[in-house]
Amino acid sequence: PVRRFVGAWILLLVLLIGALFVQNMDLSGYYQQLRPVPGGIYNEGILGTFTNANPLYAANDADTSISRLMFSGLFTYDDQNKLVGDLAQSYSVNDTGDTYTVHLRPHLTWQDGQPLTSADVVFTYQTIQDPDAQSPLRNSWENISVSAPDPQTVVFKLPGTLASFPYTMTNGIVPKHILENVPPAGLRSADFNTVHPVGAGPFAWQAIQVSGN
């Protein structure tokens, strides 16, 4: 009788624990949910070969994807595919529609800590316009004057009216303090493009690993 009594209580205890476990599992979905946590590794496969992170030369899918992660432009597209400011805080256009004035966000910096100003924007577009730089973006920026009246303002003067012009200012901006001493003819092969790129985007360059051929 003692063994049966003890065995019954043990069985009852096991059943209660099991029922409690099943209940917690069923109820966890009501008050718990999966959330991302900091850290980890995100892998993305892209068809093509990486050759250049510099936004002045990024042409194929691999180069463009990496360039957009590392380099910010004046404008970008949100998740609704609408044009929004990136480095730019606002812009205005004159009455004739041929002059655009862009105001940068305050306190912008490069990933190395140096300030990002309108001088970097002017340097980027004047380098694109330089035929020695051989940028594939050059045709889109011919005959457009770019100037910086102050560190936070960039003025674009167009040869004529172009309502879609803000959509052309989505390419990445490059740092003048790093590239200004590189001859335009040698910019395409500079180690900045593949070894030490420095941008102002959400991701910073750490290393490149090559496998296979």
Side-chain angles (χ1 to χ4, degrees):
V2 174
R3 287 197 296 268
R4 286 196 299 270
F5 179 77
V6 174
W9 276 104
I10 292 176
L11 179 60
L12 180 60
L13 183 61
V14 171
L15 291 175
L16 289 175
I17 294 175
L20 183 61
F21 176 77
V22 172
Q23 184 183 39
N24 286 336
M25 291 295 294
D26 290 339
L27 293 177
S28 63
Y30 292 98
Y31 58 85
Q32 291 181 346
Q33 59 181 348
L34 294 176
R35 292 177 177 269
V37 296
I41 297 175
Y42 169 72
N43 296 316
E44 180 178 354
I46 302 174
L47 186 63
T49 302
F50 168 70
T51 60
N52 203 313
N54 192 326
L56 275 60
Y57 300 106
N60 62 44
D61 290 341
D63 292 351
T64 301
S65 296
I66 295 174
S67 174
R68 288 177 178 173
L69 291 175
M70 294 188 55
F71 294 89
S72 292
L74 292 176
F75 296 91
T76 188
Y77 295 96
D78 63 10
D79 55 1
Q80 303 297 322
N81 205 33
K82 294 182 180 180
L83 190 71
V84 294
D86 194 357
L87 298 176
Q89 180 172 260
S90 62
Y91 79 93
S92 60
V93 58
N94 66 347
D95 295 336
T96 57
D98 60 358
T99 301
Y100 286 79
T101 302
V102 178
H103 301 282
L104 301 181
R105 298 183 186 274
H107 313 301
L108 293 173
T109 59
W110 294 102
Q111 292 165 352
D112 61 0
Q114 294 296 315
L116 191 161
T117 68
S118 58
D120 296 293
V121 180
V122 173
F123 172 79
T124 297
Y125 289 111
Q126 288 183 346
T127 301
I128 291 174
Q129 294 171 335
D130 192 326
D132 292 336
Q134 299 181 0
S135 172
L137 303 175
R138 180 171 177 263
N139 290 338
S140 300
W141 287 90
E142 284 186 317
N143 302 320
I144 297 177
S145 172
V146 187
S147 60
D150 62 65
Q152 299 299 121
T153 307
V154 186
V155 177
F156 299 89
K157 292 186 177 182
L158 284 60
T161 302
L162 182 61
S164 63
F165 179 71
Y167 294 89
T168 66
M169 294 186 284
T170 57
N171 60 279
I173 302 301
V174 296
K176 178 182 178 180
H177 69 281
I178 295 178
L179 298 177
E180 63 180 337
N181 294 324
V182 179
L187 191 58
R188 181 181 283 273
S189 58
D191 62 358
F192 172 86
N193 304 335
T194 54
V195 182
H196 303 295
V198 176
F203 289 85
W205 181 276
Q206 182 179 31
I208 181 170
Q209 180 179 350
V210 180
S211 61
N213 296 325

